[in-house]
């Protein structure tokens, strides 16, 4: 089929250059002033071609054209399509490109534009100001070029929305690039980005199911439904089907909504706004015999809003609206970790994540490096340092060797270590740029092998250099918790969640220390053993300022400084104390106080310090000079007194002391 000469209908809206050779899918919010925001899904192909991979053929057919695919697993009706394209070519006028949807429709993105101009680094948007047909400037396109943002924005040769709006997103979208001139001038593909916006808003719901033991003969199933913070819509009419399996009998339910034991339907009742989580506990008696494995499946079966990555009530086990949990009667139950959403919400904070699968551009853990730093949004640069008393069997690196049952989403910091005695340890220190109100992360493969090793994990935190803060540790199937230690006493495969341990801090910390070694049940000379440190969820740092004002009569004309009274002529000393009880730095603090009319300010009486008792640094009355930044400042104008602090860190304070005479 000749793409150039065929009359192809146009279809089609919205894509960063991650690791080469990878197709990625991202989700973000497109914010437009005055408009309701809509979720836009980004699909990126960064599989570079060989040099000269875009080769002249004197024709443009499906079989001869250069091709790159975008496999879209999200299923929604498309409303808007944008496309970004980056390739090198010394004579761009030889080249045309086309986009094909899963339905088979083609749109001509650009057709031999620019004459003899070099390269193509363009974002194509139907709402742009000018057409790509008028693009005659040279573009920048090399293997090191980072996009988005793209160098230029134009209207595509044919309308993307006209060609693709109304179609399903699901399936394989294909880019074709044709070089019509067989003149020895060939090009190289670097990246393409497909951006798709749903026709309606979405509520991205996910279901989580956990089980914990109440006693040897009872258990508690916890069902939780979360509406992603990136969702557009509040979901209502949400129902979950959880038919309890044989071997357990319901004794009661508590939490959000109602559970019908006859139908197995949890009717949530309440609407679930973006970022919210609702849950219910199902209490059961265990009636099955010891050694019986009980499997319980649950799925979201109804919702008022479309979901971009799952379909209610379709029994698809790979979607995030389905979850399954199992336990063996008489065995150990994995624990249920504290709800990090609730911890952060109680601190008035959101959640920011260090996701090893989605690091900031240009960041990675260099193989074998003992220390690296990573950028975390709304937090800053987080530093990691790893020191071992043993020997690394494999270089420190981000791998999937232990994935905690998460598959490709389980990329984590792999620590494989050979110890020669059970007292040796490996210490990982995580230093935060500022304190956070709470943290949660999971460590994979904390387990045991007889006559081999016995994993022992100790996790503590600290705040402002204070005493150690113990983490709350949640056990997996093959380990148990003793204080702030997790100890392996059973075997786990590195690709299962049996050896997972979750660490949770619910009070402010700015440093995390992870000590990994052996329990006393290990042999004197342990063999090689390994753990992996997975993603971190941080409660976003918050500054919490408070102001306290105190007064004290210093002297009076009758009693002097001995038992002075607040009478005319008495000297009163005030202290204004500004404190930061939060976990983030507060900057540019400016507090004002108006002196009442029945007192007179005593000139040059202001003093500053970190608290009322230590406020001895002299502050003059004007707003200039070195005393304004040492590190605090103050001034008075008329009866208005101003106190300034460039910054206050967590648990820091600024006190301003001054004196007045009672008129």
């Amino acid at each position: 089929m000749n793409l150039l000469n065929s009359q192809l209908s146009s279809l089609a809206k919205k894509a960063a250059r991650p690791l080469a050779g990878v197709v990625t899918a991202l989700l973000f919010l497109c914010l437009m002033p005055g408009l309701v925001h809509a979720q836009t899904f980004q699909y990126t192909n960064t599989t570079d071609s060989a040099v000269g991979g875009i080769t002249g053929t004197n024709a443009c057919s499906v079989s001869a054209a250069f091709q790159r695919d975008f496999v879209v697993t999200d299923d929604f009706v498309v409303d808007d399509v944008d496309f970004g394209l980056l390739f090198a070519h010394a004579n761009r006028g030889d080249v045309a490109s086309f986009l094909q949807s899963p339905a088979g429709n083609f749109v001509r993105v650009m057709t031999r534009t620019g004459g003899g101009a070099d390269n193509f680094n363009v974002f194509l948007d139907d709402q742009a100001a000018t057409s790509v047909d008028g693009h005659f400037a040279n573009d920048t396109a090399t293997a090191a070029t980072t996009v988005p943002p793209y160098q230029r924005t134009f209207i595509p040769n044919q309308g993307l929305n006209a060609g693709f709006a109304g179609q399903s997103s699901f399936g394989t979208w294909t880019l074709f690039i044709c070089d019509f001139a067989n003149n020895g001038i060939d090009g190289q593909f670097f990246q393409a980005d497909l951006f798709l916006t749903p026709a309606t808003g979405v509520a991205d719901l996910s279901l989580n199911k956990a089980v914990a033991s109440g006693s040897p003969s009872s258990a508690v199933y916890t069902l939780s439904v979360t509406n992603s913070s990136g969702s557009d819509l509040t979901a209502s009419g949400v129902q979950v089907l959880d038919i309890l399996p044989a071997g357990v009998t319901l004794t009661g339910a508590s939490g959000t909504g109602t559970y019908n034991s006859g139908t197995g339907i949890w009717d949530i009742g309440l609407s679930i706004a973006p970022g919210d989580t609702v849950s219910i506990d199902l209490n059961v008696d265990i009636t099955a015999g010891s050694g019986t494995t009980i499997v319980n499946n649950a799925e979201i079966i109804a919702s008022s809003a479309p979901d971009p990555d799952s379909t209610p009530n379709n029994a698809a086990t790979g979607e995030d609206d389905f979850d399954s949990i199992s336990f063996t009667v008489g065995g150990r139950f994995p624990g249920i970790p504290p709800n990090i959403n609730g911890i952060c919400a109680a601190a008035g904070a959101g959640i920011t994540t260090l996701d090893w699968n989605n690091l900031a551009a240009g960041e990675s853990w260099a193989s074998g490096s003992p220390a690296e730093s990573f950028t975390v949004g709304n937090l800053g640069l987080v530093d990691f340092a790893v020191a071992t008393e043993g020997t690394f069997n494999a270089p420190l690196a981000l791998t999937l060797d232990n994935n905690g049952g998460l598959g490709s989403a389980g990329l984590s910091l792999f620590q494989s270590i050979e110890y020669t005695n059970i007292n040796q340890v490996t210490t990982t220190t995580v230093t935060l740029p500022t304190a956070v109100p709470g943290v949660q992360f999971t460590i994979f493969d904390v387990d045991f092998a007889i006559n081999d090793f016995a994993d022992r994990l100790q996790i503590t935190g600290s705040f402002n250099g204070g005493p150690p803060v113990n983490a709350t540790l949640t056990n997996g199937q093959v380990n148990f918790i003793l204080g702030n230690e997790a100890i392996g006493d059973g075997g786990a495969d590195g690709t299962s969640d049996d050896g997972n341990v979750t660490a949770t801090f619910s009070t402010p910390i700015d440093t995390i220390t992870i000590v990994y070694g052996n329990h006393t049940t290990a042999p004197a000379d342990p063999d090689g053993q390994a753990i992996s440190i997975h993603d971190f969820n941080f409660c976003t740092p918050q500054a919490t300022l408070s102001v306290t004002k105190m007064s004290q009569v210093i002297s009076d004309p009758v009693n002097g400084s001995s038992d002075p009274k607040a009478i005319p002529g008495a000297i009163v000393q005030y202290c204004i104390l500004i404190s930061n009880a939060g976990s983030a730095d507060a900057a540019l603090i400016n507090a004002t106080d108006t002196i009442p009319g029945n007192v007179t300010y005593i000139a040059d009486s202001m003093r500053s310090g970190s608290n009322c008792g230590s406020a001895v640094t002299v502050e003059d009355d004007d707003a200039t000079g070195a005393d304004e930044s040492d590190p605090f400042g103050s001034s008075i104008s008329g009866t208005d007194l101003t106190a300034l602090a460039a910054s206050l860190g967590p648990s820091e304070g600024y006190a301003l002391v001054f004196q007045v005479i009672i008129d």
Side-chain angles (χ1 to χ4, degrees), residues 415-442:
Q415 299 184 358
S416 177
I417 303 147
E418 184 82 28
Y419 295 119
T420 58
N421 66 72
I422 62 173
N423 296 315
Q424 292 178 318
V425 296
T426 298
T427 302
T428 301
T429 304
V430 185
T431 305
L432 310 182
T434 187
V436 295
V439 184
Q440 189 171 77
F441 58 95
T442 299

PDB file of all heavy atoms in Angstrom, residues 415-442:
ATOM      1  N   GLN A 415      21.206  -5.699  47.283  1.00  0.00           N
ATOM      2  CA  GLN A 415      22.385  -5.824  48.124  1.00  0.00           C
ATOM      3  C   GLN A 415      22.660  -7.307  48.354  1.00  0.00           C
ATOM      4  O   GLN A 415      21.969  -7.956  49.146  1.00  0.00           O
ATOM      5  CB  GLN A 415      22.188  -5.114  49.459  1.00  0.00           C
ATOM      6  CG  GLN A 415      21.937  -3.617  49.341  1.00  0.00           C
ATOM      7  CD  GLN A 415      21.853  -2.925  50.692  1.00  0.00           C
ATOM      8  OE1 GLN A 415      21.941  -3.564  51.740  1.00  0.00           O
ATOM      9  NE2 GLN A 415      21.681  -1.620  50.675  1.00  0.00           N
ATOM     10  N   SER A 416      23.631  -7.853  47.645  1.00  0.00           N
ATOM     11  CA  SER A 416      24.021  -9.254  47.795  1.00  0.00           C
ATOM     12  C   SER A 416      25.397  -9.283  48.461  1.00  0.00           C
ATOM     13  O   SER A 416      26.371  -8.769  47.903  1.00  0.00           O
ATOM     14  CB  SER A 416      24.070  -9.939  46.427  1.00  0.00           C
ATOM     15  OG  SER A 416      24.516 -11.269  46.538  1.00  0.00           O
ATOM     16  N   ILE A 417      25.476  -9.904  49.654  1.00  0.00           N
ATOM     17  CA  ILE A 417      26.655  -9.736  50.505  1.00  0.00           C
ATOM     18  C   ILE A 417      27.124 -11.085  51.045  1.00  0.00           C
ATOM     19  O   ILE A 417      26.315 -11.943  51.417  1.00  0.00           O
ATOM     20  CB  ILE A 417      26.343  -8.787  51.678  1.00  0.00           C
ATOM     21  CG1 ILE A 417      25.850  -7.438  51.140  1.00  0.00           C
ATOM     22  CG2 ILE A 417      27.557  -8.580  52.563  1.00  0.00           C
ATOM     23  CD1 ILE A 417      24.853  -6.768  52.009  1.00  0.00           C
ATOM     24  N   GLU A 418      28.429 -11.252  51.095  1.00  0.00           N
ATOM     25  CA  GLU A 418      29.069 -12.414  51.714  1.00  0.00           C
ATOM     26  C   GLU A 418      29.643 -11.976  53.057  1.00  0.00           C
ATOM     27  O   GLU A 418      30.514 -11.102  53.122  1.00  0.00           O
ATOM     28  CB  GLU A 418      30.183 -12.941  50.816  1.00  0.00           C
ATOM     29  CG  GLU A 418      30.844 -14.204  51.324  1.00  0.00           C
ATOM     30  CD  GLU A 418      30.061 -15.454  50.991  1.00  0.00           C
ATOM     31  OE1 GLU A 418      29.345 -15.451  49.970  1.00  0.00           O
ATOM     32  OE2 GLU A 418      30.167 -16.434  51.738  1.00  0.00           O
ATOM     33  N   TYR A 419      29.125 -12.571  54.151  1.00  0.00           N
ATOM     34  CA  TYR A 419      29.657 -12.300  55.484  1.00  0.00           C
ATOM     35  C   TYR A 419      30.515 -13.481  55.932  1.00  0.00           C
ATOM     36  O   TYR A 419      30.223 -14.638  55.610  1.00  0.00           O
ATOM     37  CB  TYR A 419      28.523 -12.103  56.493  1.00  0.00           C
ATOM     38  CG  TYR A 419      27.661 -10.888  56.254  1.00  0.00           C
ATOM     39  CD1 TYR A 419      26.295 -11.011  56.002  1.00  0.00           C
ATOM     40  CD2 TYR A 419      28.198  -9.613  56.308  1.00  0.00           C
ATOM     41  CE1 TYR A 419      25.485  -9.904  55.803  1.00  0.00           C
ATOM     42  CE2 TYR A 419      27.410  -8.487  56.108  1.00  0.00           C
ATOM     43  CZ  TYR A 419      26.046  -8.644  55.852  1.00  0.00           C
ATOM     44  OH  TYR A 419      25.265  -7.540  55.657  1.00  0.00           O
ATOM     45  N   THR A 420      31.550 -13.200  56.714  1.00  0.00           N
ATOM     46  CA  THR A 420      32.396 -14.279  57.252  1.00  0.00           C
ATOM     47  C   THR A 420      32.090 -14.566  58.714  1.00  0.00           C
ATOM     48  O   THR A 420      32.576 -15.555  59.261  1.00  0.00           O
ATOM     49  CB  THR A 420      33.880 -13.919  57.110  1.00  0.00           C
ATOM     50  OG1 THR A 420      34.138 -12.680  57.790  1.00  0.00           O
ATOM     51  CG2 THR A 420      34.261 -13.782  55.640  1.00  0.00           C
ATOM     52  N   ASN A 421      31.286 -13.707  59.362  1.00  0.00           N
ATOM     53  CA  ASN A 421      30.810 -14.005  60.708  1.00  0.00           C
ATOM     54  C   ASN A 421      29.479 -13.308  60.925  1.00  0.00           C
ATOM     55  O   ASN A 421      29.127 -12.374  60.197  1.00  0.00           O
ATOM     56  CB  ASN A 421      31.824 -13.609  61.791  1.00  0.00           C
ATOM     57  CG  ASN A 421      32.035 -12.108  61.882  1.00  0.00           C
ATOM     58  OD1 ASN A 421      31.158 -11.388  62.362  1.00  0.00           O
ATOM     59  ND2 ASN A 421      33.196 -11.633  61.423  1.00  0.00           N
ATOM     60  N   ILE A 422      28.737 -13.757  61.921  1.00  0.00           N
ATOM     61  CA  ILE A 422      27.360 -13.275  62.084  1.00  0.00           C
ATOM     62  C   ILE A 422      27.287 -11.881  62.682  1.00  0.00           C
ATOM     63  O   ILE A 422      26.196 -11.319  62.801  1.00  0.00           O
ATOM     64  CB  ILE A 422      26.517 -14.241  62.938  1.00  0.00           C
ATOM     65  CG1 ILE A 422      27.087 -14.355  64.351  1.00  0.00           C
ATOM     66  CG2 ILE A 422      26.423 -15.597  62.262  1.00  0.00           C
ATOM     67  CD1 ILE A 422      26.189 -15.166  65.282  1.00  0.00           C
ATOM     68  N   ASN A 423      28.413 -11.308  63.045  1.00  0.00           N
ATOM     69  CA  ASN A 423      28.396  -9.959  63.609  1.00  0.00           C
ATOM     70  C   ASN A 423      28.584  -8.874  62.551  1.00  0.00           C
ATOM     71  O   ASN A 423      28.418  -7.688  62.841  1.00  0.00           O
ATOM     72  CB  ASN A 423      29.487  -9.824  64.675  1.00  0.00           C
ATOM     73  CG  ASN A 423      29.247 -10.746  65.858  1.00  0.00           C
ATOM     74  OD1 ASN A 423      28.124 -10.845  66.352  1.00  0.00           O
ATOM     75  ND2 ASN A 423      30.296 -11.432  66.309  1.00  0.00           N
ATOM     76  N   GLN A 424      28.953  -9.256  61.350  1.00  0.00           N
ATOM     77  CA  GLN A 424      29.152  -8.262  60.301  1.00  0.00           C
ATOM     78  C   GLN A 424      27.803  -7.748  59.787  1.00  0.00           C
ATOM     79  O   GLN A 424      26.813  -8.495  59.741  1.00  0.00           O
ATOM     80  CB  GLN A 424      29.948  -8.865  59.144  1.00  0.00           C
ATOM     81  CG  GLN A 424      31.393  -9.179  59.499  1.00  0.00           C
ATOM     82  CD  GLN A 424      32.131  -9.819  58.346  1.00  0.00           C
ATOM     83  OE1 GLN A 424      31.604 -10.686  57.658  1.00  0.00           O
ATOM     84  NE2 GLN A 424      33.371  -9.399  58.140  1.00  0.00           N
ATOM     85  N   VAL A 425      27.783  -6.490  59.398  1.00  0.00           N
ATOM     86  CA  VAL A 425      26.539  -5.872  58.932  1.00  0.00           C
ATOM     87  C   VAL A 425      26.819  -4.982  57.723  1.00  0.00           C
ATOM     88  O   VAL A 425      27.964  -4.606  57.450  1.00  0.00           O
ATOM     89  CB  VAL A 425      25.860  -5.031  60.038  1.00  0.00           C
ATOM     90  CG1 VAL A 425      25.427  -5.900  61.200  1.00  0.00           C
ATOM     91  CG2 VAL A 425      26.780  -3.903  60.497  1.00  0.00           C
ATOM     92  N   THR A 426      25.761  -4.658  57.039  1.00  0.00           N
ATOM     93  CA  THR A 426      25.784  -3.662  55.975  1.00  0.00           C
ATOM     94  C   THR A 426      24.840  -2.542  56.379  1.00  0.00           C
ATOM     95  O   THR A 426      23.688  -2.798  56.754  1.00  0.00           O
ATOM     96  CB  THR A 426      25.334  -4.267  54.639  1.00  0.00           C
ATOM     97  OG1 THR A 426      26.242  -5.304  54.279  1.00  0.00           O
ATOM     98  CG2 THR A 426      25.305  -3.218  53.544  1.00  0.00           C
ATOM     99  N   THR A 427      25.317  -1.308  56.318  1.00  0.00           N
ATOM    100  CA  THR A 427      24.531  -0.162  56.775  1.00  0.00           C
ATOM    101  C   THR A 427      24.204   0.746  55.597  1.00  0.00           C
ATOM    102  O   THR A 427      25.106   1.215  54.894  1.00  0.00           O
ATOM    103  CB  THR A 427      25.285   0.634  57.849  1.00  0.00           C
ATOM    104  OG1 THR A 427      25.585  -0.235  58.948  1.00  0.00           O
ATOM    105  CG2 THR A 427      24.446   1.806  58.344  1.00  0.00           C
ATOM    106  N   THR A 428      22.922   0.969  55.388  1.00  0.00           N
ATOM    107  CA  THR A 428      22.455   1.915  54.370  1.00  0.00           C
ATOM    108  C   THR A 428      21.906   3.141  55.077  1.00  0.00           C
ATOM    109  O   THR A 428      20.995   3.032  55.907  1.00  0.00           O
ATOM    110  CB  THR A 428      21.352   1.290  53.499  1.00  0.00           C
ATOM    111  OG1 THR A 428      21.856   0.115  52.875  1.00  0.00           O
ATOM    112  CG2 THR A 428      20.885   2.281  52.429  1.00  0.00           C
ATOM    113  N   THR A 429      22.473   4.299  54.773  1.00  0.00           N
ATOM    114  CA  THR A 429      22.037   5.556  55.388  1.00  0.00           C
ATOM    115  C   THR A 429      21.342   6.406  54.337  1.00  0.00           C
ATOM    116  O   THR A 429      21.910   6.689  53.276  1.00  0.00           O
ATOM    117  CB  THR A 429      23.226   6.328  55.981  1.00  0.00           C
ATOM    118  OG1 THR A 429      23.912   5.486  56.915  1.00  0.00           O
ATOM    119  CG2 THR A 429      22.748   7.580  56.697  1.00  0.00           C
ATOM    120  N   VAL A 430      20.118   6.789  54.634  1.00  0.00           N
ATOM    121  CA  VAL A 430      19.321   7.629  53.733  1.00  0.00           C
ATOM    122  C   VAL A 430      19.175   8.993  54.395  1.00  0.00           C
ATOM    123  O   VAL A 430      18.598   9.112  55.480  1.00  0.00           O
ATOM    124  CB  VAL A 430      17.939   7.020  53.475  1.00  0.00           C
ATOM    125  CG1 VAL A 430      17.173   7.842  52.440  1.00  0.00           C
ATOM    126  CG2 VAL A 430      18.065   5.563  53.020  1.00  0.00           C
ATOM    127  N   THR A 431      19.731  10.018  53.759  1.00  0.00           N
ATOM    128  CA  THR A 431      19.711  11.369  54.325  1.00  0.00           C
ATOM    129  C   THR A 431      18.780  12.245  53.502  1.00  0.00           C
ATOM    130  O   THR A 431      18.957  12.395  52.290  1.00  0.00           O
ATOM    131  CB  THR A 431      21.121  11.974  54.342  1.00  0.00           C
ATOM    132  OG1 THR A 431      22.008  11.086  55.045  1.00  0.00           O
ATOM    133  CG2 THR A 431      21.115  13.323  55.030  1.00  0.00           C
ATOM    134  N   LEU A 432      17.798  12.826  54.170  1.00  0.00           N
ATOM    135  CA  LEU A 432      16.808  13.661  53.501  1.00  0.00           C
ATOM    136  C   LEU A 432      17.225  15.126  53.556  1.00  0.00           C
ATOM    137  O   LEU A 432      17.888  15.554  54.514  1.00  0.00           O
ATOM    138  CB  LEU A 432      15.436  13.487  54.154  1.00  0.00           C
ATOM    139  CG  LEU A 432      14.958  12.042  54.347  1.00  0.00           C
ATOM    140  CD1 LEU A 432      13.568  12.028  54.971  1.00  0.00           C
ATOM    141  CD2 LEU A 432      14.951  11.295  53.036  1.00  0.00           C
ATOM    142  N   PRO A 433      16.834  15.923  52.574  1.00  0.00           N
ATOM    143  CA  PRO A 433      17.210  17.340  52.580  1.00  0.00           C
ATOM    144  C   PRO A 433      16.495  18.139  53.668  1.00  0.00           C
ATOM    145  O   PRO A 433      16.960  19.192  54.075  1.00  0.00           O
ATOM    146  CB  PRO A 433      16.803  17.823  51.186  1.00  0.00           C
ATOM    147  CG  PRO A 433      15.734  16.877  50.756  1.00  0.00           C
ATOM    148  CD  PRO A 433      16.094  15.557  51.351  1.00  0.00           C
ATOM    149  N   THR A 434      15.365  17.628  54.134  1.00  0.00           N
ATOM    150  CA  THR A 434      14.638  18.221  55.252  1.00  0.00           C
ATOM    151  C   THR A 434      13.795  17.124  55.872  1.00  0.00           C
ATOM    152  O   THR A 434      13.625  16.052  55.283  1.00  0.00           O
ATOM    153  CB  THR A 434      13.746  19.396  54.788  1.00  0.00           C
ATOM    154  OG1 THR A 434      13.187  20.051  55.932  1.00  0.00           O
ATOM    155  CG2 THR A 434      12.621  18.906  53.892  1.00  0.00           C
ATOM    156  N   ALA A 435      13.305  17.366  57.055  1.00  0.00           N
ATOM    157  CA  ALA A 435      12.508  16.340  57.717  1.00  0.00           C
ATOM    158  C   ALA A 435      11.162  16.163  57.022  1.00  0.00           C
ATOM    159  O   ALA A 435      10.622  17.090  56.417  1.00  0.00           O
ATOM    160  CB  ALA A 435      12.291  16.715  59.180  1.00  0.00           C
ATOM    161  N   VAL A 436      10.631  14.956  57.119  1.00  0.00           N
ATOM    162  CA  VAL A 436       9.304  14.651  56.585  1.00  0.00           C
ATOM    163  C   VAL A 436       8.436  14.132  57.725  1.00  0.00           C
ATOM    164  O   VAL A 436       8.936  13.538  58.677  1.00  0.00           O
ATOM    165  CB  VAL A 436       9.376  13.615  55.449  1.00  0.00           C
ATOM    166  CG1 VAL A 436      10.120  14.176  54.254  1.00  0.00           C
ATOM    167  CG2 VAL A 436      10.035  12.324  55.926  1.00  0.00           C
ATOM    168  N   PRO A 437       7.110  14.333  57.658  1.00  0.00           N
ATOM    169  CA  PRO A 437       6.235  13.886  58.766  1.00  0.00           C
ATOM    170  C   PRO A 437       6.069  12.378  58.834  1.00  0.00           C
ATOM    171  O   PRO A 437       5.646  11.853  59.856  1.00  0.00           O
ATOM    172  CB  PRO A 437       4.893  14.561  58.442  1.00  0.00           C
ATOM    173  CG  PRO A 437       5.188  15.611  57.422  1.00  0.00           C
ATOM    174  CD  PRO A 437       6.390  15.147  56.675  1.00  0.00           C
ATOM    175  N   GLY A 438       6.379  11.663  57.758  1.00  0.00           N
ATOM    176  CA  GLY A 438       6.218  10.214  57.747  1.00  0.00           C
ATOM    177  C   GLY A 438       6.865   9.611  56.517  1.00  0.00           C
ATOM    178  O   GLY A 438       7.047  10.288  55.502  1.00  0.00           O
ATOM    179  N   VAL A 439       7.232   8.328  56.599  1.00  0.00           N
ATOM    180  CA  VAL A 439       7.878   7.609  55.494  1.00  0.00           C
ATOM    181  C   VAL A 439       7.406   6.163  55.533  1.00  0.00           C
ATOM    182  O   VAL A 439       7.195   5.595  56.612  1.00  0.00           O
ATOM    183  CB  VAL A 439       9.417   7.628  55.607  1.00  0.00           C
ATOM    184  CG1 VAL A 439      10.049   6.954  54.391  1.00  0.00           C
ATOM    185  CG2 VAL A 439       9.964   9.028  55.772  1.00  0.00           C
ATOM    186  N   GLN A 440       7.285   5.558  54.350  1.00  0.00           N
ATOM    187  CA  GLN A 440       7.021   4.124  54.278  1.00  0.00           C
ATOM    188  C   GLN A 440       7.772   3.533  53.087  1.00  0.00           C
ATOM    189  O   GLN A 440       7.793   4.119  52.010  1.00  0.00           O
ATOM    190  CB  GLN A 440       5.527   3.850  54.143  1.00  0.00           C
ATOM    191  CG  GLN A 440       5.149   2.376  54.282  1.00  0.00           C
ATOM    192  CD  GLN A 440       3.638   2.203  54.353  1.00  0.00           C
ATOM    193  OE1 GLN A 440       2.943   2.281  53.345  1.00  0.00           O
ATOM    194  NE2 GLN A 440       3.122   1.967  55.556  1.00  0.00           N
ATOM    195  N   PHE A 441       8.413   2.375  53.301  1.00  0.00           N
ATOM    196  CA  PHE A 441       9.103   1.691  52.215  1.00  0.00           C
ATOM    197  C   PHE A 441       9.136   0.206  52.536  1.00  0.00           C
ATOM    198  O   PHE A 441       8.883  -0.224  53.674  1.00  0.00           O
ATOM    199  CB  PHE A 441      10.527   2.243  52.016  1.00  0.00           C
ATOM    200  CG  PHE A 441      11.415   2.160  53.222  1.00  0.00           C
ATOM    201  CD1 PHE A 441      12.292   1.095  53.400  1.00  0.00           C
ATOM    202  CD2 PHE A 441      11.383   3.153  54.195  1.00  0.00           C
ATOM    203  CE1 PHE A 441      13.120   1.028  54.510  1.00  0.00           C
ATOM    204  CE2 PHE A 441      12.205   3.089  55.315  1.00  0.00           C
ATOM    205  CZ  PHE A 441      13.078   2.022  55.466  1.00  0.00           C
ATOM    206  N   THR A 442       9.435  -0.608  51.523  1.00  0.00           N
ATOM    207  CA  THR A 442       9.431  -2.061  51.676  1.00  0.00           C
ATOM    208  C   THR A 442      10.790  -2.625  51.292  1.00  0.00           C
ATOM    209  O   THR A 442      11.421  -2.155  50.341  1.00  0.00           O
ATOM    210  CB  THR A 442       8.333  -2.693  50.801  1.00  0.00           C
ATOM    211  OG1 THR A 442       7.060  -2.194  51.221  1.00  0.00           O
ATOM    212  CG2 THR A 442       8.332  -4.215  50.932  1.00  0.00           C
TER     213      THR A 442
END
